[in-house]
Amino acid sequence: MSVIYKKSVKDRRGVKLPAPDVPAEPAIPESCLRAEDAELCELSELDVVRHFTELSRKNFGVDTGFYPLGSCTMKYNPKILETIANIPAFHDAHPFLPQFSGGSAHVQANLEVLYNLERALSEITGMKEFSLQPLAGAHGELTGMMVIAAYHNDKGNKKTEVLIPDEAHGTNPSSAAIAGYEVKAVPTNMETGMLDLDALRSMIGDQTAAVMLTNPNTLGIFNSEIQELVEIAHEYDAQVYYDGANLNAVLGKFRPGDAGFDVMHVNLHKTFGTPHGGGGPGSGPVGVREHLADFLPISRVVKHKNNDYSLDYGQPKSIGYIAPFYGNYAICLQAYAYIVALGKQGLIDVSENAVLNANYLMNLLKDDFDLPLDRACMHEFVLSAKKQVEHGVRALDIAKALIDEGFHPPTVYFPLIVKEALMIEPVETESRETLDSFAATMKKIARMAEKDPESLLATPSTTSVCRPDEVKAAKDMDFSYKG
Amino acid sequence: MSYIATTDAERQEMLKICGVSSVADLFADIPSDVAPKSFNLPEGKSELDLHCHFRELAGRNKPLTLNFFGGGFYDHFVPAAVDALVSRSEFYTAYTPYQPELSQGTLQAIYEYQTAICRLTNMDVANASLYDGGTALYEACQMAIHATRRNRIVIDGGLNPVYRKMLYSYTANLHINLADCVPVIHGHCDRSYIMDTLDESTAAVVLQNPNFFGVVDDHTDIVEYCHKHGILVIQVIYPIAAALLKTPGEMGVDIAVGEGQSLGLPLSFGGPYLGIMATTKKQVRRMPGRIAGRTVDKKGREAFVLTLQAREQHIRREKATSNICTNEALCALRAQIYLSLLGKNGLKEVAQLCAAKAEYAKQQLNKIKDVEVMRASPTFNEFTVKLPRSAKEVVNAMLAKNVAPGLPLGRFYDDMDEYMLVAVTEKRTKAQIDQLAEALESELCQ
């Protein structure tokens, strides 16, 4: 469908604004004005509504169908959360209000939500204190790394390196590097699917600022040696970072704080039911153990004896401002509402059913696809398209064939340590019929790969486009419409 | 509430297929010595109870009757169609558009958003969004540092003090030197001060237009001077004002960044917001974040994809230009829908209304005895007022009467205790502005 600018008709209007009720006195000198008006489109409201409605129909969301995207936790986003976020008191509050003593009264509800969410996350993870300011998971990682750097600087520790397993998400090494550290990759033991502890021992030293660990890791394996790992790191005063991207697997089953992890982040948009929005906004709160609490970002929410809330800006050791205000508030609010809605047992049920669904689906598929780690998994598992590659069908072709069958593909080619990886996370909100139907389709595709591989290479045929030319996109660099 | 479909009977059958007798068996890898020491949360609520609970909680907020707070974050009008369209669950519940066949909607919308930002700023390229204006500014500084291989950033005093603090936090551990120029509240940025502060190690100068005090400027002369000395210019913009003001592109700015909240996003107590970034062709490969590009598919049909991904963390890991992964895609979509609805004339009219109403407010407030409006330089929709006593005291007293007259600048600057920053948007009526003047006058009489 054509880009919106092609549909533009000179002088057509979408929104009528109120007539000016004050004299229009041009007070800005000509020299400070733009030469020509910005060429935005000129359309009626219905033109715009039709355009974006049509665009939405070229998209696939959780509400459209099964979205087994590994490590992304594409669970159902309860509708009530959006309703709550749209309550005017939450939706319209100006963020500067609580920065003045007279303004706090106007945002008590907003502050209470922040305080209660911090407390709930502390209880869920066992971390002493939380900051809700990080605006996404990767932003949480960076904040956590900045907290660790501030801690080492404060103690006079000379630290230069961060150790990260080779299966980690790309954000981990990138966040550590951006915080000023050199990154070293620790190999994974492919017999166990866990970080190679001997390799860690040989690499760690006084120069190590932190060890970052995703647990369960991107292979869907819970690291049963974590206590040992934490102890090894702490011998060198290296801080242990828990990437909570996969927290959905362990609610009520494991708390990083209990195992001695020093810093962690939580992806509210993964574990706590808030929507992904086509790539954000997310939210990545950071939790720390007591010894790091002083370094958390400014400001902190404080609860007073009379049940009033205010903000504290007096933290001399804080890493400072990492966001303009208090985080992605509307996302925090929705995550808090999700926790209140589900409650203790509801959260435990989330993890139990997420892990059950993953193991069930893995068992249905393991005869047809190569399973590099043939053992119980947590919330996700990784298959390899090794068998299908023998027939000329790659993981990408399986992904595209699934599209024609009405499914969103799994994550492909990640983790990097599994060749032709298909990383599947079925989440707790999917029904058994959906899993059965997905498994039947995967089996059908596996048979097609043997009998008629060519047909898979031509998929998808049901979508408006098929395998766009990415090389041309990078070469042409057509990033804005010039017509 | 529970959103789980599986029944107990189904669960038993599924466990059998997994070859285990209970769900607990599936968690056998978790060592018993790290079992949760506590998991003390209340039990869940029905949807009805949940809704009542949050309605009641929301009631704790005391509503304002008049609001003139701004400081970079504004109460603009949002047409109903913005909310209706952005809530479509095909957008709302989708993931990052890594599978282009299932994400043409998101991808084309991003491409159209990038186009709108380029047209609004007169810059060559824009990315798909960053978290907010402040993090966008930090990323822009990193781009300049890499482009020039220098490590010093000069910050004009007109920069939003929140962003200034963010820059200091992000660069604390990174061997980057920041140099501040003093804020000038009465007018334009101090050219000679800035030029004296620049040196051979300077990678970029950070300017803001309109600046934090609402003053509009033409930075062309500063850009020319900087470029002669191999220094890049980063300009923080206010996208509504950009419909009216001389653009960063026209001034020759290298990187334009800004807060996109004013483009159809609610204030929402601080987020989610929208980090805008646009730059020149020359800098595109240093630009952080996702970029959508137009190409063709296997059959030659127009198609959109995420491109230049080799800059990003999921490919380059520790060598990426930025660690950003999840961005603010839905907020960028909001901005694009807003810009499409307002259109070429509508956005300009919003800007004109803001400016006209702010001028009127200046006149009305200036009439109050002992109140002095700073009028030496032209402003857009925000301006500074000098009060006869501590602005913080006046503002707190007025807030107690549900009026937010403006931001007391003593909050941000030690030597500006008597100054207040007043923001006026198209939503404020003449009657409200008159009420503000009355309320301020009566407060000052006390």
Side-chain angles (χ1 to χ4, degrees):
Chain A
M1 67 182 274
S2 72
V3 295
I4 198 163
Y5 303 96
K6 272 193 203 167
K7 299 175 179 176
S8 187
V9 178
K10 192 176 180 307
D11 294 332
R12 189 174 284 178
R13 295 293 299 266
V15 175
K16 186 175 157 58
L17 291 157
D21 56 357
V22 298
E25 286 179 43
I28 302 171
E30 198 75 15
S31 64
C32 289
L33 297 178
R34 60 185 298 155
E36 284 170 24
D37 292 343
E39 281 299 328
L40 301 173
C41 50
E42 297 179 271
L43 294 166
S44 73
E45 179 169 325
L46 179 58
D47 291 336
V48 175
V49 168
R50 290 246 169 93
H51 178 79
F52 287 99
T53 301
E54 198 183 338
L55 280 184
S56 76
R57 292 173 64 179
K58 293 178 185 296
N59 244 26
F60 188 100
V62 172
D63 289 7
T64 319
F66 188 42
Y67 218 125
L69 204 60
S71 260
C72 299
T73 315
M74 296 300 287
K75 63 169 73 179
Y76 173 63
N77 311 125
K79 300 299 171 194
I80 184 69
L81 304 184
E82 198 185 355
T83 307
I84 289 169
N86 285 334
I87 295 174
F90 298 125
H91 187 263
D92 299 336
H94 198 290
F96 272 127
L97 279 167
Q99 300 191 13
F100 308 101
S101 57
S104 280
H106 301 280
V107 290
Q108 282 299 302
N110 307 65
L111 294 174
E112 185 169 336
V113 166
L114 294 177
Y115 183 85
N116 288 350
L117 177 59
E118 284 183 8
R119 291 292 97 234
L121 291 177
S122 281
E123 184 62 22
I124 290 167
T125 61
M127 305 306 283
K128 176 80 178 164
E129 295 290 341
F130 260 89
S131 167
L132 305 177
Q133 288 190 37
L135 303 169
H139 199 219
E141 294 171 18
L142 177 58
T143 305
M145 282 295 128
M146 287 164 71
V147 164
I148 289 170
Y151 163 79
H152 288 310
N153 290 344
D154 187 57
K155 275 184 89 174
N157 290 345
K158 297 268 178 280
K159 303 282 193 178
T160 54
E161 268 178 26
V162 174
L163 301 179
I164 301 173
D166 55 3
E167 46 75 27
H169 298 119
T171 48
N172 284 188
S174 179
S175 299
I178 281 164
Y181 289 114
E182 202 178 316
V183 174
K184 296 250 164 90
V186 187
T188 302
N189 176 342
M190 281 308 285
E191 296 288 306
T192 62
M194 301 189 300
L195 174 134
D196 185 335
L197 269 192
D198 289 335
L200 179 74
R201 279 197 195 90
S202 69
M203 295 170 79
I204 202 163
D206 290 328
Q207 77 285 2
T208 310
V211 180
M212 283 180 106
L213 194 75
T214 307
N215 188 43
N217 67 11
T218 64
L219 295 160
I221 304 298
F222 189 95
N223 190 323
S224 55
E225 298 168 343
I226 41 167
Q227 284 255 271
E228 218 177 325
L229 187 153
V230 169
E231 279 164 23
I232 294 169
H234 283 168
E235 271 174 43
Y236 298 91
D237 204 10
Q239 302 296 288
V240 198
Y241 187 98
Y242 187 97
D243 179 329
N246 295 338
L247 191 69
N248 206 48
V250 293
L251 297 168
K253 303 290 178 187
F254 170 74
R255 305 194 314 163
D258 295 337
F261 281 87
D262 301 291
V263 190
M264 76 172 294
H265 83 265
V266 176
N267 301 68
L268 297 184
H269 51 291
K270 292 184 178 176
T271 307
F272 297 102
T274 70
H276 283 73
S283 174
V286 162
V288 295
R289 287 206 298 148
E290 200 160 8
H291 68 290
L292 298 175
D294 287 348
F295 302 100
L296 284 174
I298 289 174
S299 57
R300 305 296 315 282
V301 188
V302 184
K303 184 177 183 175
H304 301 280
K305 279 185 184 144
N306 62 358
N307 286 333
D308 277 356
Y309 298 85
S310 66
L311 294 174
D312 178 12
Y313 282 84
Q315 305 139 66
K317 288 189 175 180
S318 166
I319 59 167
Y321 281 60
I322 58 116
F325 296 103
Y326 329 108
N328 273 344
Y329 181 75
I331 307 300
C332 294
L333 168 62
Q334 292 188 54
Y336 174 57
Y338 178 86
I339 292 169
V340 173
L342 267 63
K344 177 181 179 172
Q345 190 56 47
L347 293 175
I348 294 171
D349 291 345
V350 162
S351 291
E352 291 191 346
N353 286 279
V355 172
L356 174 63
N357 279 0
N359 278 282
Y360 177 71
L361 193 53
M362 182 178 76
N363 276 286
L364 295 184
L365 292 174
K366 68 179 182 184
D367 293 338
D368 299 271
F369 293 85
D370 181 65
L371 181 64
L373 283 164
D374 189 3
R375 48 169 292 184
C377 64
M378 295 300 280
H379 66 300
E380 68 189 3
F381 58 97
V382 179
L383 299 175
S384 164
K386 239 171 159 177
K387 291 183 190 172
Q388 289 71 33
V389 167
E390 289 169 19
H391 305 286
V393 173
R394 303 190 58 205
L396 183 74
D397 303 314
I398 295 168
K400 300 301 182 193
L402 279 166
I403 292 175
D404 274 347
E405 303 289 337
F407 295 107
H408 194 283
T411 299
V412 287
Y413 302 106
F414 189 83
L416 304 174
I417 55 172
V418 174
K419 285 211 170 78
E420 296 292 328
L422 292 153
M423 185 194 206
I424 300 174
E425 180 180 9
V427 303
E428 74 281 3
T429 46
E430 296 298 337
S431 68
R432 185 185 177 186
E433 304 91 273
T434 303
L435 304 181
D436 287 346
S437 153
F438 178 75
T441 303
M442 286 288 281
K443 284 169 183 287
K444 189 174 106 184
I445 292 170
R447 281 197 303 276
M448 293 282 281
E450 289 168 15
K451 289 180 190 154
D452 184 12
E454 286 298 314
S455 68
L456 295 178
L457 306 185
T459 56
S461 61
T462 55
T463 46
S464 64
V465 300
C466 170
R467 307 198 190 200
D469 186 342
E470 297 191 7
V471 176
K472 179 177 161 59
K475 197 173 119 255
D476 289 358
M477 298 214 281
D478 177 357
F479 306 145
S480 66
Y481 183 65
K482 303 290 187 322
Chain B
M1 283 300 298
S2 169
Y3 300 95
I4 291 162
T6 316
T7 65
D8 286 340
E10 286 175 318
R11 204 166 288 122
Q12 289 311 316
E13 290 168 26
M14 290 165 76
L15 285 168
K16 228 179 268 169
I17 288 178
C18 296
V20 294
S21 55
S22 74
V23 169
D25 294 346
L26 298 173
F27 290 87
D29 279 343
I30 303 180
S32 56
D33 53 356
V34 289
K37 289 182 181 148
S38 164
F39 197 68
N40 189 19
L41 294 162
E43 285 308 327
K45 286 188 193 300
S46 70
E47 182 171 324
L48 182 59
D49 287 342
L50 189 73
H51 202 187
C52 293
H53 175 78
F54 279 92
R55 285 253 168 229
E56 207 178 295
L57 178 57
R60 285 204 67 187
N61 276 7
K62 234 171 90 180
L64 289 170
T65 52
L66 286 176
N67 191 353
F68 291 84
F69 270 23
F73 310 91
Y74 304 98
D75 178 26
H76 286 287
F77 170 69
V78 182
V82 175
D83 284 318
L85 289 169
V86 91
S87 295
R88 284 192 65 91
S89 70
E90 298 89 339
F91 290 131
Y92 197 70
T93 70
Y95 191 70
T96 303
Y98 289 133
Q99 289 289 342
E101 289 91 344
L102 292 181
S103 321
Q104 284 300 295
T106 295
L107 287 163
Q108 183 171 334
I110 295 173
Y111 176 86
E112 291 177 356
Y113 161 81
Q114 290 169 184
T115 304
I117 297 302
C118 288
R119 292 179 178 199
L120 203 52
T121 57
N122 289 135
M123 301 297 288
D124 299 332
V125 288
N127 74 3
S129 75
L130 295 166
Y131 305 131
D132 83 301
T135 50
L137 173 59
Y138 162 66
E139 297 277 10
C141 292
Q142 283 287 10
M143 280 172 71
I145 286 165
H146 288 129
T148 58
R149 296 169 189 265
R150 300 174 181 179
N151 70 341
R152 185 164 174 268
I153 303 286
V154 171
I155 303 170
D156 178 52
L159 177 68
N160 191 319
V162 175
Y163 293 170
R164 181 181 163 273
K165 284 188 171 166
M166 287 172 74
L167 281 186
Y168 272 89
S169 301
Y170 281 111
T171 54
N173 204 33
L174 299 182
H175 314 291
I176 293 170
N177 300 322
L178 300 178
D180 287 307
C181 299
V182 280
V184 183
I185 54 169
H186 305 282
H188 296 116
C189 53
D190 185 336
R191 264 68 179 170
S192 60
Y193 198 108
I194 292 176
M195 287 164 192
D196 285 350
T197 312
L198 301 173
D199 65 12
E200 284 175 356
S201 69
T202 305
V205 59
V206 175
L207 306 169
Q208 181 171 323
N209 188 44
N211 72 12
F212 184 65
F213 309 101
V215 172
V216 300
D217 203 344
D218 176 3
H219 293 140
T220 308
D221 55 332
I222 304 176
V223 174
E224 282 168 3
Y225 181 88
C226 285
H227 285 177
K228 266 186 217 149
H229 295 84
I231 297 164
L232 301 190
V233 176
I234 299 167
Q235 192 186 58
V236 179
I237 61 155
Y238 174 7
I240 298 278
L244 212 54
L245 302 183
K246 189 162 184 177
T247 63
E250 286 173 315
M251 297 182 206
V253 162
D254 299 280
I255 310 168
V257 294
E259 175 50 64
Q261 176 270 326
S262 56
L263 301 177
L265 277 69
L267 280 162
S268 206
F269 203 52
Y273 288 165
L274 168 66
I276 291 174
M277 174 178 276
T279 187
T280 57
K281 269 197 192 114
K282 203 176 159 190
Q283 304 297 345
V284 63
R285 286 180 195 279
R286 290 192 185 91
M287 186 161 67
R290 296 172 184 147
I291 305 173
R294 188 162 65 144
T295 181
V296 294
D297 79 345
K298 256 183 149 178
K299 295 182 179 167
R301 295 172 294 194
E302 181 177 76
F304 299 88
V305 291
L306 291 180
T307 188
L308 299 192
Q309 294 190 61
R311 302 164 296 115
E312 293 187 66
Q313 48 75 27
H314 62 283
I315 311 283
R316 297 272 328 262
R317 298 176 78 85
E318 65 271 20
K319 294 187 179 69
T321 52
S322 161
N323 74 328
I324 192 166
C325 178
T326 290
N327 58 14
E328 308 289 306
L330 203 71
C331 302
L333 176 69
R334 257 184 181 280
Q336 174 55 13
I337 296 169
Y338 174 86
L339 288 169
S340 304
L341 284 164
L342 269 294
K344 179 180 174 177
N345 294 311
L347 192 73
K348 192 178 170 187
E349 278 175 25
V350 169
Q352 283 166 336
L353 277 172
C354 289
K357 289 182 187 228
E359 275 312 305
Y360 177 75
K362 274 180 171 177
Q363 289 164 10
Q364 298 311 302
L365 297 186
N366 208 42
K367 286 179 191 163
I368 304 169
K369 187 173 171 288
D370 297 332
V371 170
E372 187 195 346
V373 173
M374 300 294 114
R375 308 182 75 173
S377 296
T379 54
F380 174 58
N381 76 329
E382 207 160 13
F383 56 90
T384 310
V385 177
K386 189 174 185 217
L387 303 180
R389 52 191 163 93
S390 162
K392 211 178 268 179
E393 285 169 22
V394 173
V395 170
N396 279 328
M398 290 179 79
L399 280 167
K401 294 168 191 158
N402 305 324
V403 173
L407 294 173
L409 290 177
R411 167 83 185 89
F412 312 104
Y413 308 96
D414 291 341
D415 56 350
M416 293 192 200
D417 189 47
E418 291 168 337
Y419 293 88
M420 179 171 83
L421 186 66
V422 180
V424 188
T425 68
E426 77 283 7
K427 278 177 81 174
R428 300 290 86 86
T429 61
K430 176 176 177 293
Q432 288 175 335
I433 296 167
D434 292 340
Q435 284 165 25
L436 170 71
E438 281 166 35
L440 181 61
E441 188 166 24
S442 86
E443 187 60 45
L444 292 175
C445 286
Q446 282 172 12

